[in-house]
């Protein structure tokens, strides 16, 4: 059974930092390109950062230079280091496959709230 469990969200002041984690099970994690997505109410989920199975990463313009995606294949875990957070980063953050039309079942996400 495939499972994605996100954690690490919280309430932080503008300019602060958070590190999100996504623990994956039921898949051969190292073979998948993975990404972090975020969603705010009334808007579509958007991909903010992605990392290939080979370790290459890319970012949405809105987070470039502030967020860093990484992965630990030995631990089946995906990370997102978020620095210089802004109120507009407030959203529920999810992990899932990237660069594929086929998504895994979505996890519950982790709420990130940035106060001004």
């Amino acid at each position: 059974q495939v499972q994605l469990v996100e954690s690490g969200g919280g309430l932080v002041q503008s300019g602060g930092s958070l590190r999100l984690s996504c623990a994956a099970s039921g898949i051969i994690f190292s073979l998948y390109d993975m990404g972090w997505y975020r969603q705010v109410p009334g808007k579509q989920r958007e991909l903010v950062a992605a990392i290939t199975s080979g370790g290459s990463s890319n970012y949405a313009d809105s987070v470039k230079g502030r967020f860093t995606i990484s992965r630990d294949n030995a631990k089946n875990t995906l990370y997102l280091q978020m620095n210089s957070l802004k109120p507009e980063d407030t959203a529920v953050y999810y992990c899932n496959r990237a660069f594929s039309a086929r998504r895994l079942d979505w996890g519950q996400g982790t709420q990130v709230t940035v106060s001004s």
Side-chain angles (χ1 to χ4, degrees):
Q1 181 181 357
V2 176
Q3 192 173 21
L4 299 171
V5 179
E6 300 91 349
S7 62
L11 173 63
V12 64
Q13 288 189 333
S14 182
S17 298
L18 285 172
R19 189 192 194 204
L20 306 184
S21 298
C22 167
S25 58
I27 59 172
I28 304 175
F29 179 75
S30 61
L31 297 182
Y32 286 77
D33 299 334
M34 296 294 295
W36 283 98
Y37 300 76
R38 66 186 181 189
Q39 188 171 27
V40 297
K43 291 190 177 182
Q44 283 193 330
R45 203 168 292 180
E46 62 168 342
L47 178 66
V48 297
I51 186 166
T52 67
S53 58
S56 298
S57 58
N58 56 40
Y59 302 90
D61 287 344
S62 58
V63 306
K64 200 171 292 183
R66 300 187 298 121
F67 290 11
T68 303
I69 189 171
S70 61
R71 64 192 301 162
D72 185 335
N73 290 334
K75 295 183 179 179
N76 285 0
T77 302
L78 184 72
Y79 301 100
L80 186 67
Q81 178 67 44
M82 305 188 295
N83 298 329
S84 302
L85 282 161
K86 303 176 181 180
E88 51 264 44
D89 295 319
T90 295
V92 180
Y93 284 73
Y94 304 85
C95 64
N96 211 307
R97 293 183 70 180
F99 310 130
S100 172
R102 298 181 66 180
R103 297 281 185 265
L104 305 170
D105 289 340
W106 293 95
Q108 83 288 349
T110 186
Q111 175 72 49
V112 172
T113 303
V114 185
S115 63
S116 56

